[in-house]
Amino acid sequence: DDKKSSTLDPDIHKKNPRKIKADVILRPPYRIVQFGEVRTGSTFMHQLLYAIVRIKTSPGERVSMYHGGAVPRGNFVFKCHSEKSCPRLVSLVKKKKVSAFI
């Protein structure tokens, strides 16, 4: 039984929900939300995404790392265990203003 950590519309990432749309996330500002159930390696993925964004960001630019709270400005990697607890981020993902890793 495969647990799904997301109910986001699969059109956001084309046919494969794990395939990230490159033209969205490879341009600054890097605005990423990582959705993942507790105890599934989601913290590791969140930290890995943060490290990647730090490498891709120009020196001196700030990159924020969040878990809960208000949606930040600028470059960020945000972690969320459920879409119900982050409705604003889900809305931004659907509008393609934030990239989601599921």
Side-chain angles (χ1 to χ4, degrees), residues 1-93:
D1 186 27
D2 186 24
K3 285 186 175 182
K4 300 224 180 219
S5 62
S6 175
T7 59
L8 285 170
D9 182 354
D11 280 344
I12 292 172
H13 300 301
K14 305 283 184 189
K15 294 179 183 176
N16 181 353
R18 295 189 184 274
K19 182 177 180 183
I20 304 307
K21 193 172 178 189
D23 64 335
V24 174
I25 107 158
L26 294 178
R27 290 182 298 179
Y30 300 101
R31 301 174 53 144
I32 297 172
V33 60
Q34 187 272 321
F35 292 102
E37 292 184 22
V38 178
R39 310 300 317 154
T40 61
S42 62
T43 298
F44 174 74
M45 184 174 181
H46 183 235
Q47 292 174 340
L48 183 60
L49 289 168
Y50 176 78
I52 292 167
V53 171
R54 288 292 312 143
I55 289 168
K56 292 188 67 59
T57 302
S58 299
E61 278 192 71
R62 182 178 178 178
V63 178
S64 302
M65 186 177 201
Y66 291 92
H67 183 264
V71 177
R73 294 181 178 267
N75 298 304
F76 65 82
V77 180
F78 202 102
K79 177 181 176 180
C80 196
H81 285 298
S82 80
E83 294 167 29
K84 290 179 183 176
S85 63
C86 303
R88 176 78 175 123
L89 285 167
V90 171
S91 173
L92 291 172
V93 169

